[in-house]
Amino acid sequence: MSYKNIQEILPFVEKPSRYLGCEINTIRKDKNSIDLSFCLAFPDLYEIGTSHFGMQILYHILNRDSKISAERVFAPGKDMEACLRQHRIPLTSLESGTPLLEFDIVGFSLLYELNYTNILTILELAGISFYSSERRGRDPFVIAGGPCTCNPEPVAAFFDAMVIGDGEHAIMKIARAYIKWKKEGVQDREGLLKTWSDIEGVYIPSFFKTRYNAEGFQVTEARSAVDNRVKRTLSSSLEISAFPDKPVVPFGRPVHDRLRLEIARGCTRGCRFCQAGMIYRPVRERSVEDLVALAERSIRLTGYDDISLLSLSTGDYEQLNSLMAHLFCDQELQHVAVSFPSVRAGTLTPELMNLIKSVRKTGFTIAPEAGSRRLRNVINKNISEKEIFDTVEQAFKLGWNVIKLYFMIGLPTETDEDLMEIVRMVKALSKIKGSGKKKKTINVSITTFIPKPHTPFQWEKQISSEESRAKFNMIRDNLKKNFSVRLKWQNREMSLLEGVFARGDRRLSKLLVSAYNKGCRLDGWTEEFNFGLWKEAFKETGIDKDFLTKRSRDTSEPLPWDHIDSGVSKVFLRQELERALMEETIEDCRYGKCNQCGVCDFKNIEPKLSRKKEAAFDPDVCGGTANNKGQLIYNVVYEKKDGARFFGHLEMANMFIRAIKRAGINVKYSEGFHPKPKISFSDPIPVGMESLEESFRISVIDRVKPDVIIRELNRNLPEGLVVYDCTPFSKKSGKGERKACSYYDVFSNHLVFGKDALNSFLNVEKFVISKPNRKGGLKNIDLKDIILKIELVTKDRIAMQIIEEPGKTVRPLDIIKHIFELPETKLKQLRVVKRPRVRKTG
């Protein structure tokens, strides 16, 4: 059977809600009323992409303009990719289902080098040529932004334009230039690119030529009429208007399923391995007033019950104590937890400790990076061993049971003694006792150091996979008998490949295409990564990975990213490398003298710290809830139809809880440290099944009318979920509520149910099937015992009545499968609707 769009093939893929596009706070516009259609593409799975804060910002900024429509697309799962290819369906945007080929601009967010093959997946499924040089006429302009563009060369050949720096600072200039160009009707692609090249931070790869000198180094030069260097664009302050206060609330289980509150951008601690700490300078903080106001509004518009404070170094936020106190004391944020998983060692003040006592305890993360003081000096990680030990001890005392430690191996000047210092430190930390009887655990994560562009270590070598394995084994073998320590490590070949693309040049585009054509996809996922295919691609293209990773580079050597000006001067980076080799440190310029890195002009660009705002915090008052009122219990009945049939039970329950919060319905909460709303749902139905009658009970503490609950919930639920009844519940009325049987209709639009097969079933005394049990074995069930009634209503519709009895539950599709002997592919094309005992009318 042939299918025409993504919606028709959702029954055949895992996690179909990824592809629905009807999440709360999505924006859809009339195509006839806009001047620019922009598709924001994230080259990874939905669960990763919807958690990316940068994409939320761009979606918000673009859609503020009534003449611009911004939609989203993510890399499809492998099963969806296969279905799209099989049925020749183009990849489409989520919001409107528009093929990407029909958009004016497709913009990619580049956060991770191992996502690069997914760029090609999206382009090919969309029918867009890989190389910018091959695009013509009305083909979309393909652009990119994100931290990976600080060395754009490995993927430069695929993009018409690339944004270096803060995307929100350039995106509207790009959009308005396109609208003007489009209205002029010239359709000269190069003319628009020339206009874009005049925008600060915009790099046009086709305007730069590359050559390779005798040593094999890429030299990049502007062709003509453009500057030889592209200067990074940055926002001088984090304006409140650029914050996505109404972010899309994703379906499923995104990596970050909470409100992300960006409290600051940039870090000047000066860790010499850290690319983010260099390319996001200077530090720019939001004010406490703005953050509290944003939190109130965003929680109200999303229904989240958790806020995560987002920053490169949350513990360094100047007014963290004040911010935390205000968030805890804000009545608008009752029953909202503030996730605070990480504090920089040495920043735990008594005031902050008092606040942290009230925070939900997730994992507590510390990143010493190196075990020895000497090596921490080399990398400018200015924390002492005492600060690390004091922080872990305080965290255990404050109620954390799991501490995460991050270390790197392969750092410049590292010795075996430095590795053994990691072992010594971990063993000593594991002996620290905390409060409570629960076992304390130290999770140790080991990653291979990867030199990154625009850092002092950009000239250093990366150790081989074999060296990485040997170093890790040394640490593992010396921690074997410590049962309170859990050791994890990053895939060594993945680190090697990341290093290749991090410092590679434009020749890598052919390597990427070769690996993609061999089947490389989703390389950032360990279970999907296939280094064997990559080795074949290296051999086929003649790319020498050792040339890119295993050698130290001379500081006078031309680098593929020399034409990109991050703001941090090469002179400063060389000086920092020299200080590293001499084991010298520098201090954070926020608190000491300027280190002359080159970013600040001290007119518009300079560190901007939040002002002090007093707030008293009393844990007995702040964060408290008026939860001791009486309660009313309602039974709420709803339909789950159309696209909503693809919601899993927990996923759907989460939607209702957030809808209730957005609707302003005052729910009764449970007691305890982590109170939950008192809502209980009826038994789950399988993903893919529709239902005309499902229910849940809700306890409210205001005398809200049932019709108000119905109206407000329906305003706040995604498409396909409709509440139609709400009545007071009592234990008496609840008796016998559970039906002894359920009623189902099964529809088909592609096959005729065989009357002979049904008659054969009806005429036998027993019809025994085998079904897996929870112990991994099989149990026999006689369908004649559980099917009260089954009839062929029409040639393409079956109606059945099934007994509900513990231990004998059989899904309708399993019944259809055995009676009519249908394969799985046919079963997935059927539509199953659970209906009330008495059919609804009207």
Side-chain angles (χ1 to χ4, degrees), residues 219-432:
V219 178
T220 309
E221 299 168 336
R223 292 185 184 276
S224 61
V226 293
D227 292 336
N228 269 315
R229 301 196 77 204
V230 180
K231 186 176 181 180
R232 165 191 163 220
T233 183
L234 64 93
S235 302
S236 60
S237 66
L238 300 184
E239 299 174 2
I240 191 170
S241 59
F243 187 89
D245 55 1
K246 195 177 180 182
V248 173
V249 182
F251 293 146
R253 298 184 65 183
V255 173
H256 298 291
D257 195 15
R258 59 185 69 92
L259 177 67
R260 308 190 77 195
L261 197 62
E262 187 187 32
I263 64 174
R265 192 177 300 176
C267 176
T268 46
R269 286 283 181 176
C271 298
R272 290 168 178 141
F273 59 84
C274 181
Q275 186 181 65
M278 297 293 166
I279 66 172
Y280 288 121
R281 295 181 173 212
V283 173
R284 291 147 289 162
E285 296 183 346
R286 279 193 167 90
S287 70
V288 172
E289 293 91 339
D290 285 352
L291 288 168
V292 172
L294 287 167
E296 289 178 354
R297 176 169 169 76
S298 298
I299 289 294
R300 189 166 60 248
L301 294 173
T302 60
Y304 281 123
D305 63 357
D306 197 344
I307 296 174
S308 179
L309 303 183
L310 179 64
S311 170
L312 287 175
S313 181
T314 299
D316 286 331
Y317 179 70
E318 191 75 8
Q319 302 301 326
L320 185 58
N321 291 356
S322 175
L323 174 62
M324 296 287 281
H326 277 85
L327 292 176
F328 279 127
C329 293
D330 195 310
Q331 293 300 304
E332 293 286 329
L333 301 177
Q334 285 190 7
H335 304 301
V336 175
V338 181
S339 295
F340 202 68
S342 174
V343 177
R344 182 181 174 87
T347 60
L348 273 176
T349 64
E351 294 82 8
L352 189 55
M353 286 165 53
N354 193 38
L355 288 164
I356 289 175
K357 289 178 183 177
S358 303
V359 178
R360 185 180 300 175
K361 305 298 189 293
T362 56
F364 192 101
T365 303
I366 303 174
E369 309 295 0
S372 68
R373 174 74 264 187
R374 184 200 72 80
L375 195 52
R376 287 198 297 277
N377 286 347
V378 170
I379 64 177
N380 204 52
K381 190 75 177 184
N382 291 318
I383 53 175
S384 68
E385 187 163 301
K386 183 179 185 303
E387 289 173 327
I388 295 168
F389 276 74
D390 287 348
T391 302
V392 172
E393 187 172 2
Q394 293 291 350
F396 279 150
K397 285 181 179 179
L398 290 169
W400 270 271
N401 295 309
V402 178
I403 301 292
K404 302 175 185 176
L405 298 176
Y406 284 90
F407 293 97
M408 283 190 287
I409 55 177
L411 287 163
T413 79
E414 179 185 80
T415 65
D416 287 350
E417 287 75 17
D418 294 312
L419 297 179
M420 290 308 297
E421 284 293 290
I422 294 177
V423 173
R424 183 194 59 78
M425 178 184 288
V426 171
K427 284 182 176 179
L429 290 172
S430 69
K431 294 176 182 178
I432 295 175

Side-chain angles (χ1 to χ4, degrees), residues 592-763:
K593 65 178 182 179
C594 174
N595 291 315
Q596 302 295 314
C597 72
V599 170
C600 297
D601 60 13
F602 298 101
K603 295 178 182 178
N604 296 315
I605 308 301
E606 61 183 344
K608 291 192 173 132
L609 307 183
S610 57
R611 301 182 309 275
K612 189 170 184 178
K613 180 176 174 62
E614 297 294 342
F617 175 73
D618 182 347
D620 295 324
V621 177
C622 294
T625 60
N627 201 35
N628 297 318
K629 301 178 182 179
Q631 63 177 328
L632 293 173
I633 304 177
Y634 289 105
N635 192 64
V636 180
V637 185
Y638 64 94
E639 294 179 338
K640 181 185 179 187
K641 297 173 61 180
D642 304 322
R645 72 187 187 274
F646 296 115
F647 299 145
H649 182 70
L650 294 178
E651 180 179 11
M652 186 192 65
N654 221 11
M655 292 175 196
F656 271 104
I657 291 170
R658 288 172 178 168
I660 289 165
K661 196 174 185 73
R662 289 192 298 272
I665 299 170
N666 209 350
V667 181
K668 180 85 172 178
Y669 275 74
S670 62
E671 302 294 334
F673 179 73
H674 189 184
K676 291 288 189 181
K678 299 191 79 171
I679 303 170
S680 60
F681 288 82
S682 56
D683 291 339
I685 61 174
V687 174
M689 182 186 292
E690 297 180 65
S691 178
L692 302 180
E693 185 182 66
E694 295 298 305
S695 65
F696 63 88
R697 294 175 200 161
I698 178 174
S699 300
V700 299
I701 57 178
D702 290 334
R703 290 193 171 275
V704 59
K705 294 181 179 180
D707 61 326
V708 173
I709 292 177
I710 294 174
R711 183 183 69 241
E712 293 305 314
L713 281 182
N714 284 333
R715 284 179 177 174
N716 286 281
L717 285 168
E719 297 171 13
L721 293 176
V722 179
V723 173
Y724 63 84
D725 192 28
C726 178
T727 54
F729 171 82
S730 68
K731 291 183 179 179
K732 183 176 180 181
S733 66
K735 288 182 179 178
E737 183 182 281
R738 181 179 173 86
K739 300 182 180 68
C741 59
S742 296
Y743 299 79
Y744 299 93
D745 287 331
V746 182
F747 299 90
S748 171
N749 60 4
H750 65 282
L751 61 81
V752 175
F753 293 112
K755 185 181 291 187
D756 292 342
L758 182 58
N759 287 336
S760 294
F761 169 77
L762 294 172
N763 292 330

Side-chain angles (χ1 to χ4, degrees), residues 128-143:
I128 299 172
S129 299
F130 287 167
Y131 293 99
S132 61
S133 60
E134 296 174 357
R135 299 186 200 119
R136 301 286 186 273
R138 290 297 302 150
D139 288 341
F141 285 85
V142 181
I143 69 175

Side-chain angles (χ1 to χ4, degrees), residues 36-278:
L36 169 64
S37 60
F38 199 123
C39 189
L40 296 167
F42 194 90
D44 207 335
L45 297 179
Y46 176 90
E47 291 79 7
I48 304 295
T50 51
S51 299
H52 175 45
F53 188 69
M55 192 172 189
Q56 294 175 8
I57 292 175
L58 297 178
Y59 189 80
H60 167 75
I61 291 174
L62 288 166
N63 278 314
R64 282 189 311 185
D65 191 313
S66 61
K67 292 297 183 180
I68 299 174
S69 173
E71 303 188 23
R72 300 162 300 142
V73 71
F74 302 93
K78 278 193 166 183
D79 55 348
M80 173 59 83
E81 180 187 349
C83 284
L84 292 175
R85 292 185 186 281
Q86 178 185 349
H87 299 286
R88 298 183 179 180
I89 299 172
L91 187 62
T92 59
S93 65
L94 288 182
E95 280 78 359
S96 66
T98 301
L100 268 61
L101 192 60
E102 297 178 14
F103 279 86
D104 297 319
I105 300 175
V106 177
F108 284 85
S109 295
L110 305 184
L111 272 75
Y112 182 32
E113 292 85 352
L114 296 194
N115 284 344
Y116 286 170
T117 51
N118 304 333
I119 298 170
L120 303 186
T121 302
I122 291 173
L123 291 176
E124 185 172 53
L125 291 175
I128 299 172
S129 299
F130 287 167
Y131 293 99
S132 61
S133 60
E134 296 174 357
R135 299 186 200 119
R136 301 286 186 273
R138 290 297 302 150
D139 288 341
F141 285 85
V142 181
I143 69 175
C148 287
T149 62
C150 67
N151 177 21
E153 291 310 292
V155 290
F158 306 124
F159 293 102
D160 297 293
M162 306 180 85
V163 177
I164 317 298
D166 294 338
E168 67 263 49
H169 203 240
I171 194 67
M172 288 307 298
K173 294 177 182 178
I174 290 172
R176 288 175 183 138
Y178 179 91
I179 292 171
K180 181 181 179 182
W181 171 82
K182 184 179 179 181
K183 287 182 176 180
E184 289 172 351
V186 180
Q187 301 303 309
D188 171 21
R189 292 177 71 94
E190 186 160 337
L192 177 61
L193 295 179
K194 178 62 179 70
T195 302
W196 278 354
S197 72
D198 293 331
I199 300 171
E200 184 179 71
V202 176
Y203 170 50
I204 309 297
S206 62
F207 286 3
F208 286 74
K209 60 184 177 181
T210 58
R211 60 181 176 83
Y212 302 92
N213 64 20
E215 290 80 17
F217 306 144
Q218 175 176 307
V219 178
T220 309
E221 299 168 336
R223 292 185 184 276
S224 61
V226 293
D227 292 336
N228 269 315
R229 301 196 77 204
V230 180
K231 186 176 181 180
R232 165 191 163 220
T233 183
L234 64 93
S235 302
S236 60
S237 66
L238 300 184
E239 299 174 2
I240 191 170
S241 59
F243 187 89
D245 55 1
K246 195 177 180 182
V248 173
V249 182
F251 293 146
R253 298 184 65 183
V255 173
H256 298 291
D257 195 15
R258 59 185 69 92
L259 177 67
R260 308 190 77 195
L261 197 62
E262 187 187 32
I263 64 174
R265 192 177 300 176
C267 176
T268 46
R269 286 283 181 176
C271 298
R272 290 168 178 141
F273 59 84
C274 181
Q275 186 181 65
M278 297 293 166

Side-chain angles (χ1 to χ4, degrees), residues 497-547:
L497 190 63
E498 181 181 346
V500 167
F501 279 97
R503 295 191 296 169
D505 56 36
R506 204 172 291 196
R507 287 171 290 194
L508 292 189
S509 60
K510 63 181 181 181
L511 171 69
L512 191 66
V513 172
S514 173
Y516 174 79
N517 288 334
K518 293 179 185 301
C520 292
R521 305 284 192 281
L522 300 170
D523 297 295
W525 296 79
T526 304
E527 61 271 28
E528 301 292 348
F529 183 69
N530 187 335
F531 193 59
L533 295 179
W534 278 101
K535 287 195 289 187
E536 291 178 16
F538 277 113
K539 184 176 181 180
E540 180 178 278
T541 57
I543 300 293
D544 183 359
K545 61 181 181 295
D546 291 345
F547 179 77

